[in-house]
Amino acid sequence: MSPRVKWGLALLSIPIMLWTVIPLLWMVALSFKDAASQSNAPDMNMFGNFWPKEPTLQNYREIFVGSARDLFVPALMNSIIVCLVSTLISVILAMFCAYAISRLDFPGKRIILGTALTVSFFPVISLVTPLYDLWRAIGLFDTIPGLVLPYLSLTLPLSIWIMTAFFQQIPWEMEQAAQVDGATSWQAFRKVIVPLAAPGVFTTAIITFFTAWNDFVFAISLTSERARTVPAALAFFTGASQFEQPTGAIMAGAVVVTIPVVILVLVFQRRIVAGLTSGAVKG
């Protein structure tokens, strides 16, 4: 790649990064503003009313120890539990399903993949009404399992597709060599196939976690109070009066919710890149 092309791509990436970063910075700036600063008072803000001159942690205290604590903290715990359980179940089931699809030859294999792809494109909003009636009838409404099961319908098809592509890239001869050395089929899968597919497993787990973490439709429709997650809880924030919008508290909650996503990407960045590019080059 010539220097001219490199500089051209670098210049092209600048507006793209600004387009992505500025809304996030605006969210952070609002979380540090008090009610007076949010009124766009020029004497209390700088950079065109973008950043407060005197940042405050009032909004963060509001959601952790203030009046919004009873709404935000339980919702944050529910989000962590629901997303971790959904991710674990989805990855385990997708791992076995993808292994069977990529290694075994049985009738209906293409139908399973096609069905998984069709389900992943199915409109979520169309499932809410029948699930709401069913969950109310069988006692799953406003429960953790009542959210985990619908989340599997979102994450499992995508996980199967991603992991199937990774397992198909692993040479079958390596598994056969392990069996020749005395390993059982389960030992070959656990000690040979799974470590080789680790980048794909990590990539699938992180994408699955993000999908469940950011869901709003199921969270607000299938919960009331006990199992409500953070995306739904933010919609119920109220101000000091009926005429005041809790913009700062909502932005503080959004920043807190974004932190786990950033941490996961930073910690597992190399594995994500390795997983996304696995199989791109043969040989």
Side-chain angles (χ1 to χ4, degrees):
M1 186 179 299
S2 64
R4 180 178 297 180
V5 175
K6 290 182 180 179
W7 281 106
L9 292 176
L11 293 175
L12 181 63
S13 65
I14 291 176
I16 297 176
M17 289 189 294
L18 291 176
W19 181 268
T20 305
V21 171
I22 286 179
L24 298 178
L25 293 178
W26 178 243
M27 179 177 68
V28 175
L30 285 175
S31 70
F32 287 117
K33 288 184 177 183
D34 55 17
S37 300
Q38 293 171 15
S39 62
N40 291 331
D43 57 331
M44 303 186 68
N45 298 290
M46 53 186 177
F47 304 117
N49 294 333
F50 185 82
W51 192 264
K53 292 182 179 179
E54 297 181 1
T56 177
L57 296 177
Q58 175 185 348
N59 297 313
Y60 293 93
R61 288 193 292 266
E62 183 73 15
I63 63 175
F64 283 111
V65 297
S67 59
R69 179 187 184 279
D70 293 336
L71 182 62
F72 181 77
V73 175
L76 182 61
M77 297 303 298
N78 290 336
S79 289
I80 294 173
I81 295 173
V82 169
C83 294
L84 288 179
V85 173
S86 301
T87 301
L88 181 63
I89 296 176
S90 179
V91 169
I92 292 176
L93 293 179
M95 187 186 305
F96 289 113
C97 183
Y99 177 78
I101 292 175
S102 60
R103 287 291 189 261
L104 304 179
D105 189 14
F106 57 91
K109 181 167 65 174
R110 295 185 178 274
I111 296 178
I112 294 176
L113 284 175
T115 303
L117 183 62
T118 303
V119 171
S120 64
F121 285 117
F122 207 75
V124 176
I125 193 65
S126 63
L127 302 175
V128 170
T129 300
L131 277 179
Y132 177 84
D133 295 335
L134 178 61
W135 266 210
R136 297 279 293 191
I138 64 179
L140 285 178
F141 180 78
D142 200 20
T143 62
I144 297 297
L147 275 183
V148 171
L149 293 176
Y151 284 174
L152 291 179
S153 68
L154 296 177
T155 59
L156 192 56
L158 181 62
S159 301
I160 292 174
W161 266 91
I162 295 175
M163 297 189 70
T164 299
F166 286 107
F167 280 117
Q168 289 176 345
Q169 299 297 327
I170 300 176
W172 201 349
E173 290 78 7
M174 300 186 68
E175 182 179 1
Q176 293 174 334
Q179 293 176 350
V180 170
D181 291 337
T184 63
S185 298
W186 169 248
Q187 289 175 333
F189 172 77
R190 181 168 55 90
K191 296 183 178 181
V192 177
I193 301 301
V194 173
L196 292 175
V201 174
F202 273 95
T203 304
T204 304
I206 292 173
I207 294 176
T208 300
F209 183 87
F210 289 170
T211 303
W213 186 261
N214 295 323
D215 173 73
F216 176 78
V217 177
F218 283 141
I220 201 171
S221 303
L222 302 180
T223 62
S224 177
E225 293 181 359
R226 293 177 299 172
R228 183 181 292 154
T229 57
V230 172
L234 293 179
F236 292 92
F237 276 18
T238 58
S241 67
Q242 61 177 338
F243 303 105
E244 180 181 345
Q245 292 293 331
T247 304
I250 293 176
M251 291 299 102
V255 171
V256 173
V257 173
T258 307
I259 289 175
V261 177
V262 175
I263 293 176
L264 283 175
V265 172
L266 292 177
V267 173
F268 299 109
Q269 180 179 7
R270 292 187 177 181
R271 289 190 177 273
I272 295 175
V273 174
L276 292 176
T277 58
S278 177
V281 179
K282 296 183 65 176

